[in-house]
Amino acid sequence: GDSRHPLGRWKEAEEFYKKSIALNPLKPITYMNLGNALTFEGRNEEAIPYFRKVLDLNPGHQRAHMYIGRNYILMGRPELGLNEMKQENVEIFKKFGLTLAYSALGQEKNADEMLKEFADQYRDNWAYLLAQLFAFRGEKDAAFTWLEVAYSKRDSWLFWLNGDPLLKNLESDPRHNALRKKMNIPLND
């Protein structure tokens, strides 16, 4: 991956992806990466057209609808988020997204059922995503448990830990800094 991410230097990542797009404007993943860099800078709305561009280039692309949905949820528009999650192309990310959306909408029964289904099916390979879901719901202990599992498995998604907007609820917890230290992520940004 691009070493800019773990340091939280999202501004730098943004410039990097913009240059990449100028060189190769037909690569969906670059637009997706740019959308995520903007999201991690807190520019949720600005990121959405880049995720849409991914779908213009490849309507079947995985995660683009889920990321649009996530951004709507972060913007406090969970009903728009839910609508995007329903259109996600890949089952795992659809279930992840629906769990997030139902949680954001306060539909606890739906959220709990979907989370259980997600955990039963994907716990072995998707610890980081489980951590995101628990963190977003404010279930910190479960979130840290799954982050530790992700760490022990060298989960490549941990790459997103620094400044992940879905993990906001964890940042004030000393366990968050402890994990960053263990991963050699500087604490001074």
Side-chain angles (χ1 to χ4, degrees), residues 1-2 16-35 49-59 61-64:
D2 174 27
F16 173 81
Y17 295 129
K18 281 184 171 160
K19 281 193 191 102
S20 304
I21 284 167
L23 295 170
N24 184 351
L26 296 178
K27 231 177 134 182
I29 192 70
T30 317
Y31 292 94
M32 190 176 267
N33 287 336
L34 176 55
Y50 293 105
F51 296 127
R52 293 255 181 250
K53 180 72 179 169
V54 172
L55 292 163
D56 289 344
L57 292 168
N58 174 7
H61 204 288
Q62 61 168 348
R63 302 204 305 274

Side-chain angles (χ1 to χ4, degrees), residues 159-189:
F159 173 77
W160 299 103
L161 177 76
N162 207 26
D164 186 333
L166 295 179
L167 301 183
K168 272 280 174 283
N169 289 334
L170 305 183
E171 285 178 4
S172 59
D173 190 296
R175 288 173 289 183
H176 191 266
N177 272 350
L179 184 60
R180 286 175 62 166
K181 254 197 204 94
K182 216 159 51 171
M183 290 175 61
N184 296 314
I185 299 173
L187 301 181
N188 61 1
D189 44 61

Side-chain angles (χ1 to χ4, degrees), residues 34-153:
L34 176 55
N36 274 319
L38 291 168
T39 301
F40 278 55
E41 288 176 48
R43 293 153 70 186
N44 296 310
E45 193 160 10
E46 203 183 322
I48 289 175
Y50 293 105
F51 296 127
R52 293 255 181 250
K53 180 72 179 169
V54 172
L55 292 163
D56 289 344
L57 292 168
N58 174 7
H61 204 288
Q62 61 168 348
R63 302 204 305 274
H65 282 295
M66 183 267 277
Y67 285 143
I68 295 167
R70 172 200 63 191
N71 283 29
Y72 278 134
I73 288 166
L74 293 171
M75 288 157 61
R77 303 180 74 181
E79 60 301 317
L80 285 176
L82 178 61
N83 186 40
E84 289 295 330
M85 298 315 191
K86 287 177 174 167
Q87 298 172 66
E88 171 55 42
N89 291 304
V90 173
E91 192 61 20
I92 175 175
F93 298 118
K94 185 184 220 164
K95 284 190 174 153
F96 173 86
L98 289 171
T99 308
L100 210 58
Y102 291 139
S103 299
L105 285 161
Q107 296 183 16
E108 280 171 40
K109 191 173 173 301
N110 282 344
D112 291 347
E113 278 171 21
M114 192 60 70
L115 178 60
K116 187 186 178 320
E117 208 175 298
F118 184 91
D120 290 347
Q121 253 177 303
Y122 301 117
R123 64 195 313 147
D124 290 342
N125 297 309
W126 298 93
Y128 186 82
L129 271 69
L130 268 170
Q132 287 179 310
L133 292 173
F134 281 114
F136 183 75
R137 291 157 60 95
E139 297 177 40
K140 291 185 191 182
D141 291 345
F144 281 110
T145 298
W146 286 105
L147 283 176
E148 286 298 337
V149 171
Y151 180 77
S152 70
K153 294 191 168 189

